[in-house]
Amino acid sequence: MEEKTRTSYTEYKPEEISEFKIKDEKYSVIGKSVPKMDGRVKVTGQAKYTGDLKFPNMLVGKILHSPYAHAKILSIDTSAAEKLPGVKAVITHKDVPSLKYGISPARWDENIFCIDKVRYVGDKVAAVAAIDEDTVYKALKLIKVEYEELPAVFDPIEAMKEGAPQVHDEYPGNINTEIHQNFGDVEQAFKDAYYVRTDRFVGNRTYHAPIEPHSAISIWEDGKLTVYCSTQSPHYFQYYIAREFGMKMGDVRVLKTFVGGGFGGKLEPTALEFAGAVLARMTGRPVKMFYDRAEMFTHNRGRHKVVMEITTGVDKNGKILGVHANFVQDGGAYTSLGIATAYYAGAMLTLTYDFVNYKFDMTRVYTNLPACGAQRGHGAPQPRYAFECHLDHVAEHLGIDPIELRLRNARRPNTITPNEFGVQSCEMKACLEKAREISGWQDKKGKLPKGRGIGIATGSFVTGAGYPIYRTDLPHASAMIKVHEDGTAATLYTGATDIGQGSDTILCQMAAEAMGFTYDNMKIVTADTETTPHDFGAYASRQTLMSGSAVKQAGEEVKAQVLEMASVLMEVDVDNLDCRDAVVYCKSNPEIRKTFGEVARTFFVKRGPLVGRGVYAPPKLGGKFKGAPVGTSPAYSFAAQISEVEIDEETGEINVKEVWDVHDCGMVINPALLHAQVHGALYMGMGETVWEEVVFDNKGKLLNGNLGEYRMPTSLDMPKIVSELVESSEPAGPWGVKEVGEGATIPTMGCFSNAIYDAMGVRVSSLPLSYEKVWRALKEKREKEGIQK
Amino acid sequence: MYLPDFEYYAPTSLWEACGLLAQFGPRVKVIAGGTDVLPKMKQDILAPEVLVSLKNLSQLTDIFYKKGKGMVIGARATHNNLVNSPALQEKYLSICEAAHHMANNQIRNTGTVGGNIVNAVPSADLPPILIALGAVVKLFGTDGERTVLLEEFFTGPGKTVLKQNEILTEIVIPDQSFTGSTYIKFGLRRSGALAVVGVAVAVSMQGDICKEARIVLGAVAPVPMRAKKAEELLKGKAVTQELLEEIGVCAAGESKPISDIRGSAEYRKDMVRVFTKRALSKAIKEGHC
């Protein structure tokens, strides 16, 4: 039996290099659609998410949420819950630190549990840990909370009015953030303009809805807290958990397991981590906390609804002279990452078109609804939707083709935006031209049959934020590569966080390329604050460029050591050596060669661990005005999207026929993953444009916290997608890379809205463009035309 | 979201099942596919202390045609059993199509036709087409067996004539003279969406004269409703596009929708107009029942 088992494995043989041939290709590992690192374990179910993990003696914890949108807490009686057999701890605000937290340092406004009052339906009141799920749910029902209901406010415009209910006493008028930025002279630009136009648009509250619900397991061992969780950034979790409990960061270890999507919603620690840590300490046992689907919706931190008024002045040829963006955001009950969202909303409008006069006014307002935060495209997609729809009206008025208008204003490489973002690579013009060509725009625009329409929009996004979320001089990314002692494998250690987007895969490709090694023999350990070097994590589309820079440096350090060792072994000058596909060879005579493995093994025997290190910090970026850091980035992606739709004029039903996305995202490390990101971003943007909206009743209670009534598109709703690229290389990125993951969401709402407008001849100026809204707009249009006749 | 405690029985005969219903009275709930009962229990909407599962009553899943009786559909047949039934595909393709557009594949594999009926949700997809085809339901109880016209089965949202100790066992579609039937569901995405409006029609055509018609509307009244004035309007007339438009308007006028998260009453009424017209057009054109 034993014999048989053993022979079922193939015996490892040292690598033969006879087949090695120096290929003409510039790169041996990057630029290729290698299989995803975690593909096999995910499809076979071997991959374990936090919710799958079990520890000996582990308890289950749940949070008790407020049933009221705004109410005073008069009393909390936990005695009955405590007496229930199986309950190990019940906690309220009395048992936890009262220090306020939040992910935006400028507005820490959230408590682990509410102290005096609750601020939205779903606010956190208490928590229970018990031996199993059944007991936890029973115990939650036994906690008696006496409330005194207060008047509540659910609309941001209402919330700003005199006499409106106050969500936080510390923020009078419910003003959470107020921004007034003014670049150049917008008033003068409007005076000089041939045509000035103002339009108003309203966005929608949407939610990320990742497939994996949030989950956290907290374990205390000898004064040290370990948290396994579903996170986009172990670092920020570690920082804020340590801060909340007054601990040294070194005593808090945060580990990411496999994560089933984040999209911005898993960037900040939640009550699952905070309450879980307290419950675990009180009971001395591991505690697993989790949200169910409805609780995910109430925790939210999704897209802000923005009320957008936008004014543009243009000359006769459609050249933009000045833009004024005047926005109000519904922030919900807490800040979350909302200050950055508020700044991003205006900051990112200056990227795709070149103009010098720009004014941005914004008020982010508290309401008694779940808190909003960052969602794919962070703050930018709705304002971009407003701007792109608005520009189509401008083009229409001037009688200029919408693509032509955009081409006349398209940003060029090596320019600076009015809000002082330095743009190096920029193929905006090429994206527009290619999109026009592959979509057959010229044969379609204005020539489609009744009920059909085609629309265009552009977008741009940061490739990593220029500054971290809280003030620190830590580098943004770091990495370490350790080559296995026998030279057969190499492990990349990095804090970079794969949440499904594929960063593990592309970082291993980059490591192998830089080392002169092979992808197949790369291993990776990531996102564990104790074993992996620091990285800020997965947000702001930063990892390919920032983590990638650190990985490249680490790989090059390994390679340099291998070549130096090989030089001694082969008695060839080090400058005459190179390494590729795990073969070290003599450049002047490639027949003289050794395997990487052999050289690496010798290195370990003679000198000890073969390790490479890398670190990345962006240069100092941006201007000096208030809010200048938000939107700065070492590089920006650019995109043009065109969509073609068909409208059922009787029902308002929207049928998306085809979408074309053309991206300038620099050098591509893994084309398959890149196009998958475009598909995913489009899917999300399309859902937010037509189908998705979180809806509440007049008491602030969520009406569609489930995947049946919160209608994300299904596979049957997806159109044909054509994802194309333009030639581009970014000087600030390793091998010339830039972002794609969020950028592809930015143009989508505008491009669909413009196509729908083209099909209908009337504008629905609020999101989502639901069938009923389209039906109503068409009905009103017919009635109006009837009257005119 | 968790399932509260309950007692569970899975009887092997209808007699035993009805006995349990009589024994536990209002504390019991029958469960077949569970796609409605279990989520409602998790959400605290239903709190039965006892569940009686029909899973061991395998005879209730049969779908077959019996001469002289008609098409018999076991109440525990799943939606996908309906979709894939050769007997239904041959005689009543419109029922297969209605089942095919319900919910999503996972639910269609589990949810049952009986459950879809006894839940009496106004937006349910199967009742309109079954009513259009004159379906009768068989109710089995400790007091004996009775049959009820499906059209008379519903009394309000979530309410039916089914008694506490009764179980719906089968649906019978009698032989009929209709030449065509169809059901069109209008939902807000292509899969996994409840009907905003559902329209089922059955027509009996002779040349281009419509001799008889049934128009049944779902999701626009407390119960699935027949648009009888619209039916009358169509009867005996030559079908033209103008007539269909007029009938759509008439049916819309008869409907009594409410506004909810999926659509306003005004929108629903207009969708009744549109889909009555389209359903009639389709049933007349395609001809199969």
Side-chain angles (χ1 to χ4, degrees):
Chain A
M1 188 70 200
E2 209 184 322
E3 191 68 26
K4 214 173 173 185
T5 313
R6 201 179 297 151
T7 52
S8 69
Y9 293 91
T10 42
E11 196 190 333
Y12 174 75
K13 290 192 191 104
E15 278 169 73
E16 299 285 336
I17 52 171
S18 55
E19 284 170 36
F20 176 74
K21 233 176 86 190
I22 299 169
K23 297 183 191 109
D24 297 334
E25 293 165 1
K26 197 169 171 193
Y27 303 116
S28 62
V29 193
I30 61 170
K32 294 176 176 32
S33 297
V34 300
K36 212 162 176 270
M37 206 81 184
D38 53 3
R40 185 176 284 269
V41 292
K42 280 185 175 165
V43 299
T44 56
Q46 282 178 291
K48 296 289 175 252
Y49 297 79
T50 303
D52 297 322
L53 300 184
K54 289 186 175 69
F55 290 87
N57 283 326
M58 188 171 80
L59 299 173
V60 180
K62 285 294 289 180
I63 292 163
L64 179 73
H65 296 106
S66 156
Y68 297 111
H70 200 193
K72 263 191 209 164
I73 299 173
L74 300 178
S75 67
I76 306 175
D77 180 0
T78 58
S79 55
E82 281 160 24
K83 280 181 208 136
L84 186 71
V87 170
K88 297 296 172 191
V90 184
I91 55 173
T92 68
H93 68 89
K94 289 181 187 145
D95 307 293
V96 301
S98 60
L99 183 69
K100 287 190 175 174
Y101 69 87
I103 183 98
S104 293
R107 299 278 186 288
W108 285 319
D109 57 6
E110 202 162 351
N111 280 112
I112 298 178
F113 297 119
C114 298
I115 297 170
D116 51 350
K117 65 172 186 174
V118 293
R119 293 179 174 83
Y120 74 97
V121 177
D123 216 345
K124 309 159 294 292
V125 178
V128 175
I131 50 165
D132 55 30
E133 257 185 70
D134 280 11
T135 311
V136 165
Y137 280 104
K138 281 175 190 156
L140 286 178
K141 285 188 182 168
L142 295 174
I143 300 174
K144 303 218 167 22
V145 188
E146 214 184 327
Y147 295 99
E148 180 191 320
E149 232 184 310
L150 297 169
V153 63
F154 307 115
D155 178 83
I157 307 293
E158 291 300 314
M160 286 194 292
K161 288 183 181 161
E162 185 104 13
Q166 294 295 294
V167 181
H168 293 265
D169 293 340
E170 301 89 328
Y171 301 100
N174 293 317
I175 307 298
N176 170 263
T177 309
E178 209 175 330
I179 304 166
H180 302 288
Q181 294 179 339
N182 207 340
F183 309 100
D185 189 343
V186 174
E187 304 310 320
Q188 190 57 47
F190 289 168
K191 273 181 208 156
D192 297 341
Y194 166 75
Y195 177 56
V196 179
R197 180 190 177 94
T198 301
D199 286 300
R200 191 174 182 275
F201 298 91
V202 182
N204 48 340
R205 264 183 175 259
T206 59
Y207 179 58
H208 327 84
I211 194 163
E212 180 216 1
H214 306 54
S215 187
I217 298 172
S218 300
I219 303 168
W220 285 90
E221 279 163 332
D222 199 20
K224 185 182 129 187
L225 171 64
T226 300
V227 184
Y228 292 82
C229 53
S230 175
T231 174
Q232 291 178 232
S233 171
H235 174 82
Y236 288 126
F237 275 49
Q238 180 195 29
Y239 174 78
Y240 278 109
I241 291 168
R243 177 187 167 273
E244 188 67 17
F245 297 115
M247 296 169 71
K248 291 186 293 233
M249 274 178 81
D251 284 338
V252 177
R253 179 184 187 187
V254 177
L255 292 87
K256 177 194 78 92
T257 57
F258 284 96
V259 171
F263 311 104
K266 292 177 181 169
L267 187 57
E268 58 194 291
T270 70
L272 300 182
E273 284 81 20
F274 292 127
V278 174
L279 289 168
R281 187 161 56 182
M282 281 174 74
T283 58
R285 292 165 70 162
V287 174
K288 179 195 281 181
M289 309 278 295
F290 62 96
Y291 285 142
D292 62 28
R293 186 60 63 180
E295 288 167 342
M296 292 166 76
F297 275 90
T298 48
H299 169 68
N300 190 38
R301 324 287 149 151
R303 179 119 36 233
H304 291 66
K305 167 184 170 175
V306 197
V307 180
M308 298 162 287
E309 188 187 87
I310 190 154
T311 307
T312 300
V314 290
D315 72 9
K316 252 188 184 152
N317 300 316
K319 177 84 194 95
I320 299 170
L321 302 180
V323 176
H324 178 204
N326 187 16
F327 298 162
V328 174
Q329 266 180 346
D330 167 13
Y334 296 103
T335 300
S336 178
L337 199 55
I339 297 177
T341 322
Y343 277 98
Y344 267 121
M348 307 297 283
L349 278 183
T350 60
L351 283 163
T352 65
Y353 309 118
D354 192 8
F355 51 88
V356 291
N357 303 300
Y358 178 55
K359 194 173 168 208
F360 170 46
D361 296 301
M362 159 67 90
T363 314
R364 184 183 188 271
V365 186
Y366 283 117
T367 59
N368 292 111
L369 291 176
C372 301
Q375 181 168 328
R376 204 173 196 165
H378 200 183
Q382 286 185 13
R384 174 58 57 182
Y385 143 81
F387 195 25
E388 295 289 330
C389 294
H390 170 71
L391 281 182
D392 261 29
H393 290 312
V394 171
E396 193 178 23
H397 179 87
L398 297 176
I400 300 174
D401 175 81
I403 294 186
E404 182 54 36
L405 181 98
R406 285 167 172 82
L407 281 169
R408 287 180 194 176
N409 289 288
R411 177 162 299 287
R412 303 301 163 103
N414 304 310
T415 51
I416 295 172
T417 69
N419 46 348
E420 298 182 51
F421 301 155
V423 174
Q424 298 190 75
S425 66
C426 171
E427 296 300 328
M428 188 69 261
K429 194 166 167 280
C431 289
L432 282 161
E433 283 165 348
K434 189 164 185 180
R436 176 166 66 183
E437 185 200 319
I438 62 172
S439 66
W441 174 273
Q442 272 149 330
D443 299 328
K444 288 175 179 167
K445 178 67 185 170
K447 296 167 192 161
L448 291 169
K450 199 166 179 293
R452 292 270 284 265
I454 191 164
I456 173 108
T458 64
S460 171
F461 202 66
V462 298
T463 307
Y467 297 84
I469 291 173
Y470 69 93
R471 200 174 288 239
T472 172
D473 60 358
L474 283 174
H476 287 223
S478 57
M480 187 173 81
I481 297 167
K482 192 197 89 179
V483 179
H484 195 265
E485 289 72 13
D486 72 352
T488 57
T491 306
L492 169 62
Y493 295 83
T494 167
T497 306
D498 195 328
I499 54 174
Q501 83 282 39
S503 61
D504 283 1
T505 303
I506 61 125
L507 292 174
C508 281
Q509 283 182 269
M510 288 168 138
E513 184 72 45
M515 291 162 68
F517 198 56
T518 53
Y519 174 73
D520 290 345
N521 295 311
M522 285 303 303
K523 317 286 171 197
I524 189 163
V525 175
T526 63
D528 170 356
T529 57
E530 199 155 290
T531 60
T532 63
H534 161 79
D535 189 291
F536 284 122
Y539 68 100
S541 295
R542 54 181 295 288
Q543 296 188 146
T544 307
L545 188 148
M546 294 187 170
S547 312
S549 293
V551 167
K552 181 169 185 266
Q553 195 186 358
E556 285 165 352
E557 201 175 292
V558 170
K559 185 172 169 177
Q561 294 171 84
V562 166
L563 295 186
E564 201 273 325
M565 186 78 247
S567 166
V568 175
L569 293 177
M570 295 160 77
E571 295 176 339
V572 176
D573 188 43
V574 73
D575 295 336
N576 194 16
L577 286 173
D578 202 356
C579 178
R580 191 184 164 112
D581 282 328
V583 177
V584 182
Y585 62 94
C586 177
K587 283 195 268 194
S588 59
N589 181 7
E591 295 306 313
I592 302 172
R593 56 172 75 138
K594 276 191 183 296
T595 63
F596 180 101
E598 186 189 341
V599 180
R601 189 181 178 283
T602 309
F603 186 101
F604 179 72
V605 170
K606 291 185 183 296
R607 299 183 186 172
L610 174 52
V611 173
R613 301 174 313 151
V615 66
Y616 174 81
K620 190 160 169 38
L621 297 164
K624 298 223 180 305
F625 57 91
K626 189 170 185 234
V630 183
T632 58
S633 178
Y636 299 87
S637 70
F638 292 89
Q641 260 175 27
I642 291 179
S643 65
E644 190 181 334
V645 303
E646 183 177 45
I647 301 217
D648 183 327
E649 296 200 326
E650 279 192 308
T651 64
E653 189 173 352
I654 295 162
N655 179 13
V656 182
K657 307 294 285 183
E658 193 163 352
V659 186
W660 298 266
D661 178 283
V662 181
H663 245 85
D664 157 15
C665 46
M667 161 74 189
V668 177
I669 302 298
N670 186 315
L673 284 179
L674 177 123
H675 294 302
Q677 282 292 311
V678 171
H679 281 232
L682 252 165
Y683 165 85
M684 216 156 159
M686 205 179 104
E688 291 186 53
T689 314
V690 181
W691 291 280
E692 296 176 33
E693 184 172 33
V694 182
V695 188
F696 303 89
D697 70 9
N698 60 6
K699 291 281 203 181
K701 191 168 171 283
L702 186 65
L703 289 175
N704 59 345
N706 58 67
L707 299 180
E709 294 298 341
Y710 182 80
R711 279 179 298 277
M712 304 165 82
T714 67
S715 55
L716 296 180
D717 299 293
M718 286 303 283
K720 185 180 170 201
I721 297 169
V722 180
S723 171
E724 294 261 358
L725 302 167
V726 292
E727 200 68 36
S728 159
S729 185
E730 171 57 48
W735 295 287
V737 303
K738 295 201 277 187
E739 81 87 37
V740 73
E742 294 183 80
T745 303
I746 312 249
T748 312
M749 298 174 195
C751 119
F752 279 111
S753 182
N754 282 337
I756 291 164
Y757 173 67
D758 189 47
M760 291 168 69
V762 59
R763 177 72 74 179
V764 176
S765 57
S766 69
L767 294 171
L769 305 171
S770 68
Y771 300 167
E772 184 168 349
K773 280 192 206 164
V774 169
W775 165 83
R776 193 176 297 280
L778 283 167
K779 182 169 160 263
E780 285 165 4
K781 185 187 166 212
R782 277 193 295 268
E783 283 163 6
K784 215 167 142 192
E785 285 166 355
I787 292 163
Q788 278 165 0
K789 272 178 202 160
Chain B
M1 295 254 288
Y2 88 114
L3 211 50
D5 297 340
F6 55 85
E7 268 182 72
Y8 178 77
Y9 296 89
T12 50
S13 79
L14 267 174
W15 269 112
E16 195 188 342
C18 293
L20 287 164
L21 299 189
Q23 183 191 337
F24 292 109
R27 296 187 293 137
V28 69
K29 190 86 192 157
V30 173
I31 179 168
T35 58
D36 197 81
V37 171
L38 298 179
K40 278 183 177 156
M41 286 171 71
K42 286 183 179 179
Q43 289 163 29
D44 252 353
I45 299 167
L46 280 180
E49 292 166 35
V50 183
L51 287 183
V52 172
S53 168
L54 305 184
K55 74 169 189 182
N56 289 331
L57 305 178
S58 58
Q59 71 275 23
L60 295 189
T61 59
D62 295 342
I63 302 172
F64 59 93
Y65 180 74
K66 195 171 173 188
K67 235 180 159 166
K69 188 176 179 188
M71 184 67 71
V72 179
I73 303 172
R76 234 197 73 216
T78 64
H79 308 316
N80 268 344
N81 288 155
L82 264 58
V83 174
N84 299 319
S85 156
L88 281 179
Q89 283 171 1
E90 193 196 323
K91 278 191 98 72
Y92 297 110
L93 195 60
S94 54
I95 296 177
C96 303
E97 285 178 356
H100 181 65
H101 287 101
M102 291 174 71
N104 53 47
N105 206 37
Q106 291 88 335
I107 299 285
R108 289 196 294 274
N109 272 332
T110 313
T112 65
V113 55
N116 194 246
I117 293 171
V118 298
N119 259 327
V121 176
S123 63
D125 288 308
L126 294 175
I129 186 66
L130 294 173
I131 291 172
L133 294 169
V136 166
V137 287
K138 200 193 267 184
L139 313 177
F140 188 93
T142 40
D143 306 331
E145 196 174 71
R146 60 178 179 140
T147 52
V148 175
L149 206 53
L150 183 58
E151 193 184 333
E152 291 162 4
F153 180 75
F154 302 101
T155 55
K159 294 198 178 98
T160 70
V161 300
L162 192 73
K163 287 184 199 150
Q164 173 55 47
N165 60 6
E166 282 180 327
I167 290 170
L168 188 154
T169 54
E170 63 184 35
I171 298 105
V172 180
I173 303 166
D175 289 342
Q176 52 203 285
S177 56
F178 288 122
T179 57
S181 69
T182 196
Y183 171 72
I184 302 186
K185 166 192 188 155
F186 179 58
L188 299 179
R189 67 177 166 192
R190 291 194 185 147
S191 175
L194 293 174
V196 173
V197 165
V199 179
V201 299
V203 291
S204 180
M205 298 298 292
Q206 206 167 61
D208 61 353
I209 306 291
C210 178
K211 303 223 4 161
E212 207 188 339
R214 277 222 185 123
I215 300 170
V216 189
L217 311 175
V220 290
V223 298
M225 62 166 282
R226 276 178 66 182
K228 291 189 177 167
K229 283 183 200 156
E231 290 174 2
E232 275 306 305
L233 198 59
L234 183 56
K235 202 170 170 179
K237 294 209 181 98
V239 177
T240 62
Q241 203 49 46
E242 291 73 35
L243 179 68
L244 292 182
E245 185 66 46
E246 203 183 315
I247 285 158
V249 172
C250 180
E254 287 181 81
S255 66
K256 303 184 242 354
I258 54 161
S259 296
D260 69 10
I261 186 173
R262 289 180 286 278
S264 69
E266 190 194 356
Y267 184 51
R268 282 201 159 99
K269 258 188 189 288
D270 199 44
M271 291 309 101
V272 169
R273 176 185 67 81
V274 172
F275 288 102
T276 299
K277 186 175 68 175
R278 290 185 187 180
L280 284 170
S281 195
K282 183 167 182 262
I284 290 166
K285 199 161 68 190
E286 290 178 8
H288 59 69
C289 232

